[in-house]
Amino acid sequence: MTAAATGLVGIAFDGFNQARVRLTRTIEETTNLYTVTVPTMETAYWARALDEQLVKADPAYRAARQQPEGTVIRGLQWLRNRTTHALPLTLRAVGGLSAPITGPITLQPLSIIWHHADQLPPEEPNHTSPAGRSAYNTAFAHKPLLGPLDDVAQWFAAERSRAGSALTEM
């Protein structure tokens, strides 16, 4: 019996949404990459857990994620796999002040963005996914932290409104 059939898919959906709230609150308090990484990866974990159960339970969902609109969820899968197996720091801070200070000075607010896949440690030879890597670069690379995760939330919202979805039945 799948998690979707038992109703436990709702726990993953709630976990994803609650982790996003924690991430948003954390970003309001700090831009420390190590502090922000914890709720970021928690959000990715729950999103992938939900995605994995929907893939198992629903052929229509599985087919939809192969469409261009599914790039963000396929990119998230690659991200979650990389962070689980290699523990790379996938985020970086940009903007703010840095030394040495030279003129003219332009102060940009500090923001957190996703690394490009080429800036991460290489994948293990037995666990490469060129398609996943490409999806990650398209959906995540060089984008502000919350943007792709908001896209993931929109992906799940669209799925929840689809007739016959396991998310509709929770």
Side-chain angles (χ1 to χ4, degrees), residues 88-126:
L89 186 58
T90 56
L91 307 171
R92 68 183 173 112
V94 295
L97 285 175
S98 60
I101 298 175
T102 59
I105 297 173
T106 303
L107 185 59
Q108 296 179 345
L110 187 65
S111 63
I112 299 173
I113 66 170
W114 296 92
H115 275 299
H116 189 276
D118 291 342
Q119 297 167 306
L120 302 175
E123 295 171 274
E124 294 178 21
N126 296 346

mmCIF file of all heavy atoms in Angstrom, residues 88-126:
data_model
loop_
_atom_site.group_PDB
_atom_site.id
_atom_site.type_symbol
_atom_site.label_atom_id
_atom_site.label_comp_id
_atom_site.label_asym_id
_atom_site.label_seq_id
_atom_site.Cartn_x
_atom_site.Cartn_y
_atom_site.Cartn_z
ATOM 1 N N PRO A 88 26.989 18.917 -0.317
ATOM 2 C CA PRO A 88 27.591 20.177 -0.763
ATOM 3 C C PRO A 88 26.785 21.363 -0.260
ATOM 4 O O PRO A 88 25.597 21.237 0.025
ATOM 5 C CB PRO A 88 27.501 20.083 -2.288
ATOM 6 C CG PRO A 88 26.237 19.311 -2.506
ATOM 7 C CD PRO A 88 26.201 18.295 -1.373
ATOM 8 N N LEU A 89 27.446 22.493 -0.140
ATOM 9 C CA LEU A 89 26.739 23.729 0.168
ATOM 10 C C LEU A 89 26.206 24.246 -1.161
ATOM 11 O O LEU A 89 26.968 24.644 -2.037
ATOM 12 C CB LEU A 89 27.666 24.746 0.824
ATOM 13 C CG LEU A 89 27.004 26.015 1.329
ATOM 14 C CD1 LEU A 89 25.911 25.703 2.359
ATOM 15 C CD2 LEU A 89 28.047 26.935 1.945
ATOM 16 N N THR A 90 24.911 24.200 -1.367
ATOM 17 C CA THR A 90 24.306 24.521 -2.658
ATOM 18 C C THR A 90 23.929 25.988 -2.794
ATOM 19 O O THR A 90 23.446 26.401 -3.838
ATOM 20 C CB THR A 90 23.042 23.669 -2.881
ATOM 21 O OG1 THR A 90 22.154 23.893 -1.791
ATOM 22 C CG2 THR A 90 23.389 22.192 -2.968
ATOM 23 N N LEU A 91 24.137 26.750 -1.736
ATOM 24 C CA LEU A 91 23.742 28.158 -1.725
ATOM 25 C C LEU A 91 24.978 29.042 -1.603
ATOM 26 O O LEU A 91 26.004 28.615 -1.093
ATOM 27 C CB LEU A 91 22.835 28.431 -0.521
ATOM 28 C CG LEU A 91 21.613 27.536 -0.368
ATOM 29 C CD1 LEU A 91 20.949 27.790 0.970
ATOM 30 C CD2 LEU A 91 20.647 27.746 -1.513
ATOM 31 N N ARG A 92 24.826 30.294 -2.039
ATOM 32 C CA ARG A 92 25.889 31.268 -1.802
ATOM 33 C C ARG A 92 25.258 32.640 -1.615
ATOM 34 O O ARG A 92 24.174 32.918 -2.120
ATOM 35 C CB ARG A 92 26.907 31.278 -2.924
ATOM 36 C CG ARG A 92 26.419 31.795 -4.237
ATOM 37 C CD ARG A 92 27.527 31.669 -5.298
ATOM 38 N NE ARG A 92 27.016 32.010 -6.590
ATOM 39 C CZ ARG A 92 27.381 33.090 -7.278
ATOM 40 N NH1 ARG A 92 28.280 33.905 -6.780
ATOM 41 N NH2 ARG A 92 26.861 33.338 -8.451
ATOM 42 N N ALA A 93 25.972 33.465 -0.857
ATOM 43 C CA ALA A 93 25.526 34.829 -0.608
ATOM 44 C C ALA A 93 26.154 35.745 -1.644
ATOM 45 O O ALA A 93 27.330 35.584 -1.994
ATOM 46 C CB ALA A 93 25.926 35.256 0.797
ATOM 47 N N VAL A 94 25.376 36.670 -2.147
ATOM 48 C CA VAL A 94 25.877 37.670 -3.088
ATOM 49 C C VAL A 94 25.425 39.046 -2.624
ATOM 50 O O VAL A 94 24.414 39.178 -1.934
ATOM 51 C CB VAL A 94 25.393 37.410 -4.540
ATOM 52 C CG1 VAL A 94 25.960 36.113 -5.073
ATOM 53 C CG2 VAL A 94 23.886 37.400 -4.632
ATOM 54 N N GLY A 95 26.186 40.074 -3.006
ATOM 55 C CA GLY A 95 25.853 41.436 -2.621
ATOM 56 C C GLY A 95 26.490 41.799 -1.302
ATOM 57 O O GLY A 95 27.395 41.125 -0.819
ATOM 58 N N GLY A 96 26.040 42.878 -0.713
ATOM 59 C CA GLY A 96 26.608 43.356 0.540
ATOM 60 C C GLY A 96 27.972 43.983 0.317
ATOM 61 O O GLY A 96 28.393 44.229 -0.809
ATOM 62 N N LEU A 97 28.690 44.237 1.381
ATOM 63 C CA LEU A 97 30.035 44.800 1.303
ATOM 64 C C LEU A 97 31.069 43.695 1.371
ATOM 65 O O LEU A 97 30.898 42.716 2.079
ATOM 66 C CB LEU A 97 30.282 45.767 2.467
ATOM 67 C CG LEU A 97 29.621 47.131 2.377
ATOM 68 C CD1 LEU A 97 29.877 47.913 3.655
ATOM 69 C CD2 LEU A 97 30.132 47.908 1.178
ATOM 70 N N SER A 98 32.144 43.860 0.635
ATOM 71 C CA SER A 98 33.257 42.928 0.728
ATOM 72 C C SER A 98 34.551 43.709 0.580
ATOM 73 O O SER A 98 34.588 44.789 0.002
ATOM 74 C CB SER A 98 33.145 41.841 -0.341
ATOM 75 O OG SER A 98 33.160 42.418 -1.625
ATOM 76 N N ALA A 99 35.610 43.172 1.127
ATOM 77 C CA ALA A 99 36.911 43.836 1.070
ATOM 78 C C ALA A 99 37.681 43.327 -0.133
ATOM 79 O O ALA A 99 37.505 42.183 -0.540
ATOM 80 C CB ALA A 99 37.673 43.548 2.353
ATOM 81 N N PRO A 100 38.542 44.081 -0.735
ATOM 82 C CA PRO A 100 38.781 45.489 -0.417
ATOM 83 C C PRO A 100 37.701 46.361 -1.036
ATOM 84 O O PRO A 100 37.128 46.029 -2.071
ATOM 85 C CB PRO A 100 40.141 45.763 -1.070
ATOM 86 C CG PRO A 100 40.176 44.831 -2.244
ATOM 87 C CD PRO A 100 39.407 43.611 -1.805
ATOM 88 N N ILE A 101 37.430 47.461 -0.392
ATOM 89 C CA ILE A 101 36.416 48.391 -0.878
ATOM 90 C C ILE A 101 37.097 49.375 -1.823
ATOM 91 O O ILE A 101 38.080 50.011 -1.471
ATOM 92 C CB ILE A 101 35.736 49.117 0.287
ATOM 93 C CG1 ILE A 101 35.023 48.094 1.176
ATOM 94 C CG2 ILE A 101 34.780 50.179 -0.220
ATOM 95 C CD1 ILE A 101 34.405 48.673 2.420
ATOM 96 N N THR A 102 36.624 49.446 -3.035
ATOM 97 C CA THR A 102 37.156 50.372 -4.036
ATOM 98 C C THR A 102 35.997 51.168 -4.608
ATOM 99 O O THR A 102 34.848 50.744 -4.566
ATOM 100 C CB THR A 102 37.871 49.608 -5.175
ATOM 101 O OG1 THR A 102 36.953 48.720 -5.776
ATOM 102 C CG2 THR A 102 39.064 48.830 -4.636
ATOM 103 N N GLY A 103 36.317 52.324 -5.154
ATOM 104 C CA GLY A 103 35.276 53.186 -5.699
ATOM 105 C C GLY A 103 35.005 52.879 -7.138
ATOM 106 O O GLY A 103 35.811 52.250 -7.794
ATOM 107 N N PRO A 104 33.919 53.237 -7.696
ATOM 108 C CA PRO A 104 32.775 53.756 -6.942
ATOM 109 C C PRO A 104 32.095 52.635 -6.165
ATOM 110 O O PRO A 104 32.087 51.483 -6.587
ATOM 111 C CB PRO A 104 31.858 54.307 -8.029
ATOM 112 C CG PRO A 104 32.178 53.507 -9.243
ATOM 113 C CD PRO A 104 33.654 53.158 -9.126
ATOM 114 N N ILE A 105 31.530 52.971 -5.040
ATOM 115 C CA ILE A 105 30.885 51.975 -4.180
ATOM 116 C C ILE A 105 29.417 51.880 -4.541
ATOM 117 O O ILE A 105 28.700 52.870 -4.581
ATOM 118 C CB ILE A 105 31.038 52.357 -2.694
ATOM 119 C CG1 ILE A 105 32.517 52.366 -2.312
ATOM 120 C CG2 ILE A 105 30.246 51.403 -1.814
ATOM 121 C CD1 ILE A 105 32.775 52.884 -0.918
ATOM 122 N N THR A 106 28.997 50.671 -4.850
ATOM 123 C CA THR A 106 27.586 50.375 -5.091
ATOM 124 C C THR A 106 27.195 49.301 -4.091
ATOM 125 O O THR A 106 27.768 48.215 -4.090
ATOM 126 C CB THR A 106 27.358 49.851 -6.521
ATOM 127 O OG1 THR A 106 27.853 50.815 -7.438
ATOM 128 C CG2 THR A 106 25.897 49.594 -6.775
ATOM 129 N N LEU A 107 26.283 49.621 -3.231
ATOM 130 C CA LEU A 107 25.866 48.668 -2.211
ATOM 131 C C LEU A 107 24.621 47.929 -2.685
ATOM 132 O O LEU A 107 23.597 48.535 -2.964
ATOM 133 C CB LEU A 107 25.580 49.392 -0.896
ATOM 134 C CG LEU A 107 25.251 48.514 0.297
ATOM 135 C CD1 LEU A 107 26.399 47.558 0.590
ATOM 136 C CD2 LEU A 107 24.969 49.363 1.517
ATOM 137 N N GLN A 108 24.760 46.629 -2.809
ATOM 138 C CA GLN A 108 23.619 45.779 -3.158
ATOM 139 C C GLN A 108 23.216 45.019 -1.910
ATOM 140 O O GLN A 108 24.080 44.600 -1.135
ATOM 141 C CB GLN A 108 23.991 44.793 -4.253
ATOM 142 C CG GLN A 108 24.341 45.429 -5.564
ATOM 143 C CD GLN A 108 24.728 44.374 -6.602
ATOM 144 O OE1 GLN A 108 24.990 43.228 -6.285
ATOM 145 N NE2 GLN A 108 24.755 44.789 -7.852
ATOM 146 N N PRO A 109 21.931 44.811 -1.713
ATOM 147 C CA PRO A 109 21.522 44.036 -0.538
ATOM 148 C C PRO A 109 22.083 42.613 -0.630
ATOM 149 O O PRO A 109 22.239 42.068 -1.721
ATOM 150 C CB PRO A 109 19.998 44.027 -0.615
ATOM 151 C CG PRO A 109 19.619 44.652 -1.899
ATOM 152 C CD PRO A 109 20.825 45.234 -2.531
ATOM 153 N N LEU A 110 22.377 42.063 0.512
ATOM 154 C CA LEU A 110 22.855 40.691 0.568
ATOM 155 C C LEU A 110 21.698 39.756 0.237
ATOM 156 O O LEU A 110 20.596 39.904 0.771
ATOM 157 C CB LEU A 110 23.399 40.381 1.963
ATOM 158 C CG LEU A 110 24.082 39.041 2.134
ATOM 159 C CD1 LEU A 110 25.363 38.997 1.287
ATOM 160 C CD2 LEU A 110 24.428 38.803 3.588
ATOM 161 N N SER A 111 21.925 38.836 -0.663
ATOM 162 C CA SER A 111 20.897 37.851 -0.994
ATOM 163 C C SER A 111 21.540 36.479 -1.116
ATOM 164 O O SER A 111 22.754 36.354 -1.240
ATOM 165 C CB SER A 111 20.158 38.225 -2.285
ATOM 166 O OG SER A 111 21.060 38.230 -3.366
ATOM 167 N N ILE A 112 20.721 35.474 -1.065
ATOM 168 C CA ILE A 112 21.188 34.091 -1.160
ATOM 169 C C ILE A 112 20.647 33.503 -2.450
ATOM 170 O O ILE A 112 19.450 33.601 -2.732
ATOM 171 C CB ILE A 112 20.730 33.275 0.061
ATOM 172 C CG1 ILE A 112 21.325 33.881 1.337
ATOM 173 C CG2 ILE A 112 21.108 31.810 -0.087
ATOM 174 C CD1 ILE A 112 20.822 33.266 2.613
ATOM 175 N N ILE A 113 21.555 32.910 -3.213
ATOM 176 C CA ILE A 113 21.175 32.285 -4.478
ATOM 177 C C ILE A 113 21.688 30.852 -4.518
ATOM 178 O O ILE A 113 22.542 30.459 -3.724
ATOM 179 C CB ILE A 113 21.699 33.092 -5.696
ATOM 180 C CG1 ILE A 113 23.219 33.068 -5.740
ATOM 181 C CG2 ILE A 113 21.147 34.514 -5.682
ATOM 182 C CD1 ILE A 113 23.799 33.638 -7.027
ATOM 183 N N TRP A 114 21.173 30.098 -5.475
ATOM 184 C CA TRP A 114 21.576 28.717 -5.676
ATOM 185 C C TRP A 114 22.829 28.666 -6.551
ATOM 186 O O TRP A 114 22.934 29.378 -7.535
ATOM 187 C CB TRP A 114 20.461 27.933 -6.372
ATOM 188 C CG TRP A 114 19.211 27.820 -5.555
ATOM 189 C CD1 TRP A 114 18.133 28.659 -5.586
ATOM 190 C CD2 TRP A 114 18.918 26.835 -4.584
ATOM 191 N NE1 TRP A 114 17.193 28.251 -4.689
ATOM 192 C CE2 TRP A 114 17.641 27.116 -4.060
ATOM 193 C CE3 TRP A 114 19.601 25.721 -4.101
ATOM 194 C CZ2 TRP A 114 17.037 26.344 -3.091
ATOM 195 C CZ3 TRP A 114 18.997 24.941 -3.129
ATOM 196 C CH2 TRP A 114 17.733 25.247 -2.628
ATOM 197 N N HIS A 115 23.752 27.793 -6.188
ATOM 198 C CA HIS A 115 24.921 27.550 -7.030
ATOM 199 C C HIS A 115 24.498 26.903 -8.336
ATOM 200 O O HIS A 115 23.482 26.195 -8.399
ATOM 201 C CB HIS A 115 25.890 26.568 -6.349
ATOM 202 C CG HIS A 115 26.832 27.200 -5.399
ATOM 203 N ND1 HIS A 115 27.753 28.147 -5.763
ATOM 204 C CD2 HIS A 115 27.020 27.005 -4.069
ATOM 205 C CE1 HIS A 115 28.469 28.505 -4.723
ATOM 206 N NE2 HIS A 115 28.029 27.833 -3.670
ATOM 207 N N HIS A 116 25.288 27.084 -9.363
ATOM 208 C CA HIS A 116 25.172 26.323 -10.609
ATOM 209 C C HIS A 116 25.727 24.922 -10.323
ATOM 210 O O HIS A 116 26.611 24.761 -9.479
ATOM 211 C CB HIS A 116 25.986 27.019 -11.707
ATOM 212 C CG HIS A 116 25.764 26.454 -13.063
ATOM 213 N ND1 HIS A 116 26.445 25.346 -13.515
ATOM 214 C CD2 HIS A 116 24.941 26.835 -14.070
ATOM 215 C CE1 HIS A 116 26.054 25.072 -14.742
ATOM 216 N NE2 HIS A 116 25.136 25.958 -15.106
ATOM 217 N N ALA A 117 25.241 23.922 -11.004
ATOM 218 C CA ALA A 117 25.704 22.547 -10.777
ATOM 219 C C ALA A 117 27.217 22.424 -10.968
ATOM 220 O O ALA A 117 27.864 21.618 -10.286
ATOM 221 C CB ALA A 117 24.971 21.574 -11.697
ATOM 222 N N ASP A 118 27.796 23.218 -11.857
ATOM 223 C CA ASP A 118 29.243 23.152 -12.083
ATOM 224 C C ASP A 118 30.037 23.637 -10.876
ATOM 225 O O ASP A 118 31.237 23.372 -10.782
ATOM 226 C CB ASP A 118 29.635 23.993 -13.306
ATOM 227 C CG ASP A 118 29.125 23.402 -14.604
ATOM 228 O OD1 ASP A 118 28.769 22.195 -14.624
ATOM 229 O OD2 ASP A 118 29.067 24.140 -15.605
ATOM 230 N N GLN A 119 29.404 24.342 -9.962
ATOM 231 C CA GLN A 119 30.069 24.851 -8.770
ATOM 232 C C GLN A 119 29.971 23.881 -7.600
ATOM 233 O O GLN A 119 30.478 24.168 -6.516
ATOM 234 C CB GLN A 119 29.477 26.207 -8.383
ATOM 235 C CG GLN A 119 29.698 27.268 -9.451
ATOM 236 C CD GLN A 119 28.843 28.500 -9.221
ATOM 237 O OE1 GLN A 119 27.622 28.402 -9.083
ATOM 238 N NE2 GLN A 119 29.489 29.651 -9.174
ATOM 239 N N LEU A 120 29.329 22.757 -7.815
ATOM 240 C CA LEU A 120 29.184 21.734 -6.780
ATOM 241 C C LEU A 120 30.178 20.612 -7.033
ATOM 242 O O LEU A 120 30.666 20.444 -8.153
ATOM 243 C CB LEU A 120 27.752 21.185 -6.785
ATOM 244 C CG LEU A 120 26.653 22.222 -6.564
ATOM 245 C CD1 LEU A 120 25.283 21.576 -6.725
ATOM 246 C CD2 LEU A 120 26.793 22.871 -5.198
ATOM 247 N N PRO A 121 30.478 19.808 -6.013
ATOM 248 C CA PRO A 121 31.361 18.664 -6.251
ATOM 249 C C PRO A 121 30.766 17.755 -7.328
ATOM 250 O O PRO A 121 29.538 17.677 -7.473
ATOM 251 C CB PRO A 121 31.386 17.942 -4.904
ATOM 252 C CG PRO A 121 30.952 18.966 -3.903
ATOM 253 C CD PRO A 121 30.036 19.900 -4.633
ATOM 254 N N PRO A 122 31.614 17.079 -8.103
ATOM 255 C CA PRO A 122 31.087 16.216 -9.163
ATOM 256 C C PRO A 122 30.261 15.064 -8.598
ATOM 257 O O PRO A 122 30.484 14.605 -7.481
ATOM 258 C CB PRO A 122 32.337 15.701 -9.868
ATOM 259 C CG PRO A 122 33.451 15.910 -8.914
ATOM 260 C CD PRO A 122 33.060 17.044 -8.012
ATOM 261 N N GLU A 123 29.324 14.622 -9.412
ATOM 262 C CA GLU A 123 28.510 13.470 -9.028
ATOM 263 C C GLU A 123 29.377 12.214 -9.020
ATOM 264 O O GLU A 123 30.354 12.127 -9.755
ATOM 265 C CB GLU A 123 27.371 13.272 -10.042
ATOM 266 C CG GLU A 123 26.374 14.399 -10.056
ATOM 267 C CD GLU A 123 25.403 14.270 -11.208
ATOM 268 O OE1 GLU A 123 25.742 14.753 -12.296
ATOM 269 O OE2 GLU A 123 24.334 13.685 -11.010
ATOM 270 N N GLU A 124 28.992 11.258 -8.211
ATOM 271 C CA GLU A 124 29.685 9.979 -8.219
ATOM 272 C C GLU A 124 29.418 9.305 -9.561
ATOM 273 O O GLU A 124 28.301 9.387 -10.091
ATOM 274 C CB GLU A 124 29.190 9.099 -7.079
ATOM 275 C CG GLU A 124 29.525 9.647 -5.705
ATOM 276 C CD GLU A 124 28.988 8.784 -4.583
ATOM 277 O OE1 GLU A 124 28.711 7.583 -4.817
ATOM 278 O OE2 GLU A 124 28.836 9.315 -3.476
ATOM 279 N N PRO A 125 30.421 8.639 -10.133
ATOM 280 C CA PRO A 125 30.263 8.053 -11.471
ATOM 281 C C PRO A 125 29.052 7.124 -11.619
ATOM 282 O O PRO A 125 28.437 7.088 -12.666
ATOM 283 C CB PRO A 125 31.571 7.283 -11.682
ATOM 284 C CG PRO A 125 32.549 7.953 -10.776
ATOM 285 C CD PRO A 125 31.760 8.450 -9.600
ATOM 286 N N ASN A 126 28.698 6.409 -10.581
ATOM 287 C CA ASN A 126 27.562 5.474 -10.658
ATOM 288 C C ASN A 126 26.217 6.137 -10.419
ATOM 289 O O ASN A 126 25.182 5.488 -10.490
ATOM 290 C CB ASN A 126 27.737 4.340 -9.651
ATOM 291 C CG ASN A 126 28.941 3.484 -9.950
ATOM 292 O OD1 ASN A 126 29.521 3.556 -11.034
ATOM 293 N ND2 ASN A 126 29.344 2.690 -8.982
#
